[in-house]
Amino acid sequence: MIFSFALFRLLPEFRRLEAEQQEHLKEDFAQFLARWQGREGFLAVYSLVGFSGEADLLLWQGVESPKALQAFRREANRTRFLGFLEPVALHLDRGEGTPGEGALALFPYGLEAPIPEGLRALRGETLLALEGPLEALFPLILKEGGYLGVQRAPREVLDEL
């Protein structure tokens, strides 16, 4: 399976829009994400708000074909909300597994420390994603770097931005 971890930061221009326009754009993008969650592979949405100075949103997509990654991005580019998201990073890899629920720690270049007990590891060829309780992942992120996010429904993530 091909993994895509796309990280985005919300641009300040979004906050300058009228509240009604913000709501409309968030609802449209949430519906777009929900449609893709029902397609090939999986799409998990994570909030990084409060855990990263670089990014606010993480989209983890798992597909069998690279064409699906392109189809997702083409359709995302047609949404107005994406114009208010700045891409921070894109990490592609091959791996096995699907996301569970809760917190995720992403280490784009692996991890030097041993993986603490009780965490679920999803390994790619170069990256490592760990799932588990936020309390177990937080100290690891502080020590090793990487990204920490909490999985949410698409609209919940957008409301946190």
Side-chain angles (χ1 to χ4, degrees), residues 97-158:
T98 58
E101 294 184 15
L104 174 84
L106 174 63
F107 301 95
Y109 306 104
L111 183 65
E112 292 186 22
I115 298 172
E117 282 190 42
L119 298 179
R120 179 176 172 237
L122 297 139
R123 296 180 190 276
E125 293 177 13
T126 59
L127 62 78
L128 173 66
L130 297 177
E131 289 182 321
L134 190 58
E135 297 75 19
L137 295 171
F138 188 76
L140 196 56
I141 286 289
L142 291 177
K143 183 178 177 185
E144 297 286 330
Y147 299 97
L148 179 62
V150 177
Q151 188 175 8
R152 304 259 193 258
R155 183 58 201 237
E156 290 177 315
V157 168
L158 299 176

Side-chain angles (χ1 to χ4, degrees), residues 10-18 21-22 83-85:
L10 184 69
L11 294 173
E13 291 83 359
F14 183 78
R15 290 181 175 82
R16 295 185 192 113
L17 298 174
E18 296 292 327
Q21 189 175 11
Q22 287 180 13
F84 293 99
L85 293 177

Side-chain angles (χ1 to χ4, degrees), residues 67-89:
K67 290 181 181 182
L69 297 176
Q70 288 186 310
F72 173 80
R73 195 51 180 260
R74 271 193 311 272
E75 193 173 328
N77 286 342
R78 293 184 187 118
T79 66
R80 290 199 54 226
F81 187 79
L82 195 71
F84 293 99
L85 293 177
E86 177 182 16
V88 172

